[in-house]
Amino acid sequence: MTTIDTYRTPVAMSDAGRQARLFDGLPHDVGGLAQVVQGLMVHEHIAPAYGLTLSPEQHAQAHLRSVEKILETIAAQDGKPLPVARPAGERVVGVCRHFTLLHVAMLRAQGVAARARCGFGAYFQKDMFLDHWVTEYWNEGQKRWVLVDPQLDTRQRELFNVTFDPLDVPRDQFLVAGEAWKLCRDGKADPAAFGILDMHGLWFIAGNVIRDVAALNNHEMLPWDVWGAMTPKDAELDLAFIDRLAELSHAPDDHEGELRAAYQDKRITVPGTVFNAVLNCPDPVH
Protein backbone atom coordinates (compact mmCIF):
# COMPACT_ATOMS: atom_id res chain seq x y z
CA MET A 1 0.00 0.00 0.00
CA THR A 2 1.37 3.43 -0.95
CA THR A 3 1.30 6.47 1.30
CA ILE A 4 -1.50 7.85 -0.86
CA ASP A 5 -3.65 4.74 -0.38
CA THR A 6 -3.45 5.02 3.41
CA TYR A 7 -5.53 8.22 3.17
CA ARG A 8 -8.26 6.86 0.86
CA THR A 9 -10.37 5.26 3.57
CA PRO A 10 -12.39 6.93 6.34
CA VAL A 11 -10.97 5.93 9.72
CA ALA A 12 -11.51 6.98 13.35
CA MET A 13 -12.78 10.59 13.44
CA SER A 14 -13.30 10.79 9.65
CA ASP A 15 -15.55 7.70 9.66
CA ALA A 16 -19.22 8.63 9.26
CA GLY A 17 -20.21 5.41 11.04
CA ARG A 18 -23.96 5.08 11.53
CA GLN A 19 -24.49 8.29 9.54
CA ALA A 20 -22.67 7.05 6.41
CA ARG A 21 -25.92 6.87 4.41
CA LEU A 22 -26.07 10.70 4.55
CA PHE A 23 -23.13 10.74 2.12
CA ASP A 24 -25.30 9.15 -0.59
CA GLY A 25 -26.01 11.59 -3.40
CA LEU A 26 -23.07 13.92 -2.78
CA PRO A 27 -21.30 15.54 -5.74
CA HIS A 28 -18.13 13.82 -6.92
CA ASP A 29 -15.80 16.76 -7.22
CA VAL A 30 -13.60 18.49 -4.66
CA GLY A 31 -15.20 21.91 -5.13
CA GLY A 32 -18.73 20.57 -5.06
CA LEU A 33 -18.05 18.81 -1.77
CA ALA A 34 -16.54 22.00 -0.31
CA GLN A 35 -19.74 23.84 -1.25
CA VAL A 36 -21.82 21.19 0.52
CA VAL A 37 -19.71 21.58 3.68
CA GLN A 38 -20.16 25.38 3.52
CA GLY A 39 -23.93 24.91 3.36
CA LEU A 40 -23.89 22.71 6.47
CA MET A 41 -21.56 24.60 8.81
CA VAL A 42 -20.87 28.12 10.03
CA HIS A 43 -17.58 29.18 11.59
CA GLU A 44 -17.94 29.99 15.27
CA HIS A 45 -15.80 33.14 15.11
CA ILE A 46 -16.96 34.39 11.70
CA ALA A 47 -20.67 34.03 12.47
CA PRO A 48 -21.15 37.81 12.94
CA ALA A 49 -20.21 38.29 9.26
CA TYR A 50 -23.39 36.34 8.46
CA GLY A 51 -25.46 38.49 10.81
CA LEU A 52 -25.52 35.83 13.51
CA THR A 53 -25.26 35.94 17.29
CA LEU A 54 -24.70 32.40 18.51
CA SER A 55 -26.38 30.88 21.55
CA PRO A 56 -24.40 28.96 24.20
CA GLU A 57 -25.83 25.75 22.73
CA GLN A 58 -24.48 26.68 19.31
CA HIS A 59 -21.05 27.54 20.71
CA ALA A 60 -20.99 24.11 22.35
CA GLN A 61 -21.21 22.47 18.91
CA ALA A 62 -17.66 23.65 18.18
CA HIS A 63 -16.48 20.92 20.57
CA LEU A 64 -17.92 18.08 18.47
CA ARG A 65 -15.08 15.74 17.57
CA SER A 66 -16.09 12.99 15.13
CA VAL A 67 -17.69 13.25 11.71
CA GLU A 68 -20.33 10.80 12.92
CA LYS A 69 -21.34 13.22 15.72
CA ILE A 70 -21.21 16.23 13.38
CA LEU A 71 -23.51 14.47 10.90
CA GLU A 72 -25.79 13.31 13.70
CA THR A 73 -26.15 16.93 14.82
CA ILE A 74 -26.73 18.18 11.27
CA ALA A 75 -29.46 15.57 10.69
CA ALA A 76 -31.12 16.28 14.03
CA GLN A 77 -31.40 19.97 13.15
CA ASP A 78 -32.55 19.44 9.56
CA GLY A 79 -33.41 16.17 7.85
CA LYS A 80 -32.94 17.41 4.28
CA PRO A 81 -30.20 15.82 2.12
CA LEU A 82 -26.73 17.22 2.78
CA PRO A 83 -26.40 19.00 -0.60
CA VAL A 84 -29.34 21.25 0.36
CA ALA A 85 -27.67 24.30 1.90
CA ARG A 86 -29.09 25.38 5.25
CA PRO A 87 -29.70 29.06 6.08
CA ALA A 88 -26.64 30.39 7.96
CA GLY A 89 -28.45 30.50 11.30
CA GLU A 90 -29.48 26.85 11.00
CA ARG A 91 -26.03 25.43 10.26
CA VAL A 92 -23.98 23.46 12.76
CA VAL A 93 -21.26 25.56 14.38
CA GLY A 94 -17.61 24.62 14.06
CA VAL A 95 -14.18 26.00 13.25
CA CYS A 96 -11.71 25.41 10.41
CA ARG A 97 -10.92 21.93 11.69
CA HIS A 98 -14.59 20.86 11.40
CA PHE A 99 -14.93 22.16 7.82
CA THR A 100 -11.72 20.34 6.93
CA LEU A 101 -12.53 17.05 8.67
CA LEU A 102 -16.00 16.86 7.11
CA HIS A 103 -14.53 17.62 3.68
CA VAL A 104 -11.82 14.98 4.16
CA ALA A 105 -14.44 12.45 5.27
CA MET A 106 -16.55 13.06 2.15
CA LEU A 107 -13.52 12.70 -0.13
CA ARG A 108 -12.35 9.51 1.58
CA ALA A 109 -15.86 8.06 1.39
CA GLN A 110 -15.51 8.41 -2.40
CA GLY A 111 -12.07 6.79 -2.45
CA VAL A 112 -10.12 10.02 -2.90
CA ALA A 113 -6.93 10.26 -0.84
CA ALA A 114 -7.29 13.21 1.53
CA ARG A 115 -5.93 14.32 4.88
CA ALA A 116 -6.40 17.21 7.29
CA ARG A 117 -3.41 19.54 7.69
CA CYS A 118 -2.81 21.79 10.67
CA GLY A 119 -0.80 24.96 10.18
CA PHE A 120 -1.18 28.67 9.51
CA GLY A 121 -3.08 30.79 6.98
CA ALA A 122 -1.60 34.02 5.65
CA TYR A 123 -4.87 35.33 4.24
CA PHE A 124 -6.89 36.35 7.29
CA GLN A 125 -4.84 39.19 8.74
CA LYS A 126 -2.11 41.32 7.16
CA ASP A 127 1.43 40.25 8.05
CA MET A 128 0.15 37.43 10.29
CA PHE A 129 -0.06 33.66 9.94
CA LEU A 130 -3.17 32.57 11.84
CA ASP A 131 -3.87 29.13 13.30
CA HIS A 132 -5.80 27.21 10.63
CA TRP A 133 -6.65 23.81 9.15
CA VAL A 134 -7.15 22.87 5.49
CA THR A 135 -7.71 19.78 3.35
CA GLU A 136 -4.85 18.23 1.38
CA TYR A 137 -6.01 15.81 -1.33
CA TRP A 138 -4.23 13.79 -3.99
CA ASN A 139 -4.98 15.12 -7.47
CA GLU A 140 -4.57 12.01 -9.60
CA GLY A 141 -4.50 13.92 -12.89
CA GLN A 142 -1.73 16.26 -11.77
CA LYS A 143 0.05 13.68 -9.59
CA ARG A 144 0.38 16.08 -6.66
CA TRP A 145 -1.12 16.90 -3.27
CA VAL A 146 -3.32 20.00 -3.46
CA LEU A 147 -4.38 22.23 -0.58
CA VAL A 148 -8.06 23.19 -0.40
CA ASP A 149 -9.71 25.56 2.07
CA PRO A 150 -13.29 24.21 2.31
CA GLN A 151 -14.22 27.01 4.71
CA LEU A 152 -13.80 29.87 2.23
CA ASP A 153 -17.24 30.53 0.78
CA THR A 154 -18.11 33.65 -1.25
CA ARG A 155 -18.75 35.71 1.90
CA GLN A 156 -15.37 34.89 3.41
CA ARG A 157 -13.47 35.40 0.17
CA GLU A 158 -14.90 38.93 0.12
CA LEU A 159 -14.35 39.47 3.84
CA PHE A 160 -10.67 38.47 3.73
CA ASN A 161 -10.02 39.72 0.18
CA VAL A 162 -8.90 36.27 -0.97
CA THR A 163 -7.66 36.48 -4.56
CA PHE A 164 -6.40 32.91 -5.06
CA ASP A 165 -8.48 29.81 -5.83
CA PRO A 166 -9.50 28.17 -2.51
CA LEU A 167 -9.47 24.83 -4.37
CA ASP A 168 -5.71 25.18 -4.94
CA VAL A 169 -4.29 27.21 -2.06
CA PRO A 170 -0.72 28.39 -2.80
CA ARG A 171 1.84 26.85 -0.46
CA ASP A 172 3.00 30.32 0.64
CA GLN A 173 -0.57 31.18 1.69
CA PHE A 174 -0.98 28.16 3.94
CA LEU A 175 2.06 26.84 5.76
CA VAL A 176 1.83 23.38 7.29
CA ALA A 177 3.05 23.61 10.87
CA GLY A 178 6.37 21.90 10.14
CA GLU A 179 7.17 24.44 7.43
CA ALA A 180 6.31 27.33 9.78
CA TRP A 181 8.55 25.83 12.47
CA LYS A 182 11.46 25.41 10.07
CA LEU A 183 11.17 28.99 8.76
CA CYS A 184 11.24 30.36 12.30
CA ARG A 185 14.08 28.11 13.42
CA ASP A 186 16.10 29.18 10.36
CA GLY A 187 15.51 32.84 11.17
CA LYS A 188 13.44 33.40 8.02
CA ALA A 189 10.20 34.21 9.85
CA ASP A 190 9.21 35.77 13.17
CA PRO A 191 7.53 33.33 15.60
CA ALA A 192 5.48 36.25 16.94
CA ALA A 193 3.65 36.35 13.60
CA PHE A 194 2.23 32.84 14.14
CA GLY A 195 -0.74 32.09 16.39
CA ILE A 196 -4.26 33.25 17.16
CA LEU A 197 -5.86 35.91 19.38
CA ASP A 198 -3.30 36.78 22.09
CA MET A 199 -1.37 33.51 21.70
CA HIS A 200 1.70 33.60 19.46
CA GLY A 201 5.24 32.28 19.34
CA LEU A 202 7.40 29.22 18.94
CA TRP A 203 5.47 27.31 21.61
CA PHE A 204 2.25 27.77 19.62
CA ILE A 205 3.87 26.58 16.39
CA ALA A 206 5.25 23.53 18.23
CA GLY A 207 1.74 22.66 19.42
CA ASN A 208 0.51 22.75 15.83
CA VAL A 209 3.41 20.56 14.70
CA ILE A 210 2.21 17.93 17.19
CA ARG A 211 -1.41 18.38 16.06
CA ASP A 212 -0.35 17.97 12.42
CA VAL A 213 1.60 14.78 13.20
CA ALA A 214 -1.47 13.45 15.03
CA ALA A 215 -3.69 14.37 12.05
CA LEU A 216 -1.31 12.60 9.66
CA ASN A 217 -1.91 9.57 11.89
CA ASN A 218 -5.70 10.04 11.58
CA HIS A 219 -6.23 11.80 14.91
CA GLU A 220 -7.64 15.17 13.86
CA MET A 221 -7.91 16.94 17.20
CA LEU A 222 -9.63 20.17 18.18
CA PRO A 223 -7.35 23.21 17.76
CA TRP A 224 -7.49 23.85 21.52
CA ASP A 225 -6.78 20.29 22.65
CA VAL A 226 -3.61 20.10 24.75
CA TRP A 227 -1.67 16.93 25.52
CA GLY A 228 1.80 15.40 25.65
CA ALA A 229 4.73 17.66 24.78
CA MET A 230 2.59 20.79 24.30
CA THR A 231 3.57 23.70 26.54
CA PRO A 232 2.70 27.43 26.68
CA LYS A 233 6.35 28.36 27.29
CA ASP A 234 9.15 28.54 24.73
CA ALA A 235 11.70 27.70 27.43
CA GLU A 236 10.07 24.31 28.05
CA LEU A 237 10.26 23.16 24.42
CA ASP A 238 12.46 20.24 23.41
CA LEU A 239 13.70 21.99 20.26
CA ALA A 240 15.47 18.97 18.76
CA PHE A 241 12.36 16.85 19.24
CA ILE A 242 10.11 19.37 17.46
CA ASP A 243 12.78 19.87 14.76
CA ARG A 244 12.50 16.18 13.96
CA LEU A 245 8.69 16.16 13.96
CA ALA A 246 8.69 19.23 11.70
CA GLU A 247 11.02 17.50 9.27
CA LEU A 248 8.83 14.39 9.13
CA SER A 249 5.51 16.21 8.82
CA HIS A 250 6.76 18.78 6.31
CA ALA A 251 7.32 15.94 3.82
CA PRO A 252 5.03 13.16 5.09
CA ASP A 253 5.19 11.03 1.95
CA ASP A 254 8.96 10.71 2.28
CA HIS A 255 8.69 9.64 5.92
CA GLU A 256 5.55 7.52 6.21
CA GLY A 257 7.07 4.78 8.36
CA GLU A 258 8.90 7.28 10.55
CA LEU A 259 5.70 9.30 11.04
CA ARG A 260 3.88 6.16 12.20
CA ALA A 261 6.75 5.33 14.55
CA ALA A 262 6.96 8.91 15.85
CA TYR A 263 3.28 8.83 16.77
CA GLN A 264 3.98 6.00 19.21
CA ASP A 265 5.98 8.44 21.38
CA LYS A 266 3.86 9.24 24.44
CA ARG A 267 4.66 12.93 23.94
CA ILE A 268 2.59 12.84 20.74
CA THR A 269 0.14 9.95 21.10
CA VAL A 270 -3.35 11.27 21.78
CA PRO A 271 -4.43 9.96 25.20
CA GLY A 272 -7.95 8.96 26.18
CA THR A 273 -8.44 12.35 27.83
CA VAL A 274 -6.90 15.66 26.74
CA PHE A 275 -7.07 19.15 28.26
CA ASN A 276 -9.62 21.34 26.50
CA ALA A 277 -8.09 24.82 26.78
CA VAL A 278 -11.33 26.60 25.77
CA LEU A 279 -13.49 24.80 28.32
CA ASN A 280 -10.54 24.80 30.74
CA CYS A 281 -11.06 21.21 31.80
CA PRO A 282 -10.09 17.61 31.01
CA ASP A 283 -12.07 16.31 28.02
CA PRO A 284 -12.54 12.65 26.97
CA VAL A 285 -11.55 12.13 23.34
CA HIS A 286 -14.06 9.33 22.65
Side-chain angles (χ1 to χ4, degrees):
M1 181 182 286
T2 66
T3 308
I4 296 164
D5 290 332
T6 63
Y7 295 109
R8 289 193 196 279
T9 307
V11 60
M13 291 195 197
S14 68
D15 187 350
R18 291 166 297 179
Q19 306 300 322
R21 59 182 171 71
L22 296 178
F23 281 171
D24 294 345
L26 290 176
H28 281 260
D29 63 288
V30 173
L33 293 175
Q35 272 193 307
V36 171
V37 172
Q38 292 158 13
L40 296 171
M41 304 206 71
V42 66
H43 194 290
E44 181 179 24
H45 303 300
I46 310 177
Y50 300 84
L52 303 177
T53 300
L54 302 179
S55 67
E57 291 76 20
Q58 286 175 302
H59 279 292
Q61 293 177 343
H63 298 276
L64 291 169
R65 294 186 178 279
S66 69
V67 162
E68 185 175 13
K69 283 290 187 188
I70 294 168
L71 290 173
E72 193 177 286
T73 306
I74 289 168
Q77 288 186 188
D78 190 325
K80 289 194 287 290
L82 299 189
V84 179
R86 280 63 168 162
E90 296 172 24
R91 296 173 191 169
V92 168
V93 174
V95 294
C96 51
R97 174 264 185 196
H98 295 90
F99 283 81
T100 292
L101 182 60
L102 188 53
H103 191 231
V104 165
M106 290 175 175
L107 287 165
R108 288 181 174 182
Q110 296 181 0
V112 177
R115 55 200 185 192
R117 299 308 303 267
C118 178
F120 299 89
Y123 39 95
F124 298 106
Q125 189 177 329
K126 185 174 168 55
D127 299 326
M128 296 296 292
F129 287 86
L130 297 192
D131 181 31
H132 196 47
W133 291 66
V134 299
T135 298
E136 188 175 48
Y137 83 97
W138 179 254
N139 185 308
E140 191 61 46
Q142 299 177 19
K143 300 295 182 188
R144 69 182 178 104
W145 287 99
V146 179
L147 296 177
V148 176
D149 192 333
Q151 175 192 303
L152 292 182
D153 61 9
T154 304
R155 177 74 187 100
Q156 290 184 38
R157 292 200 298 275
E158 293 170 353
L159 187 66
F160 300 117
N161 193 29
V162 173
T163 55
F164 57 81
D165 181 0
L167 301 182
D168 191 354
V169 180
R171 294 278 170 172
D172 63 347
Q173 291 298 300
F174 178 85
L175 302 181
V176 295
E179 170 74 357
W181 176 268
K182 189 174 187 309
L183 286 173
C184 291
R185 289 281 281 152
D186 291 346
K188 296 176 181 175
D190 180 1
F194 294 81
I196 195 79
L197 303 173
D198 61 346
M199 300 172 288
H200 300 87
L202 213 54
W203 68 270
F204 194 102
I205 303 170
N208 272 8
V209 171
I210 293 172
R211 291 183 187 94
D212 194 44
V213 170
L216 289 168
N217 282 278
N218 292 311
H219 294 270
E220 302 90 352
M221 305 302 290
L222 297 175
W224 44 82
D225 282 337
V226 178
W227 75 92
M230 295 182 191
T231 171
K233 297 177 181 176
D234 286 358
E236 294 178 355
L237 290 171
D238 182 337
L239 297 175
F241 178 62
I242 305 297
D243 284 344
R244 179 62 177 153
L245 295 180
E247 180 186 352
L248 297 180
S249 59
H250 178 239
D253 305 304
D254 297 335
H255 302 287
E256 185 190 8
E258 293 160 285
L259 269 171
R260 301 286 171 264
Y263 183 71
Q264 302 308 311
D265 190 310
K266 67 181 188 304
R267 293 172 289 179
I268 307 173
T269 307
V270 176
T273 298
V274 295
F275 185 77
N276 184 316
V278 170
L279 299 179
N280 197 33
C281 66
D283 197 3
V285 173
H286 300 295

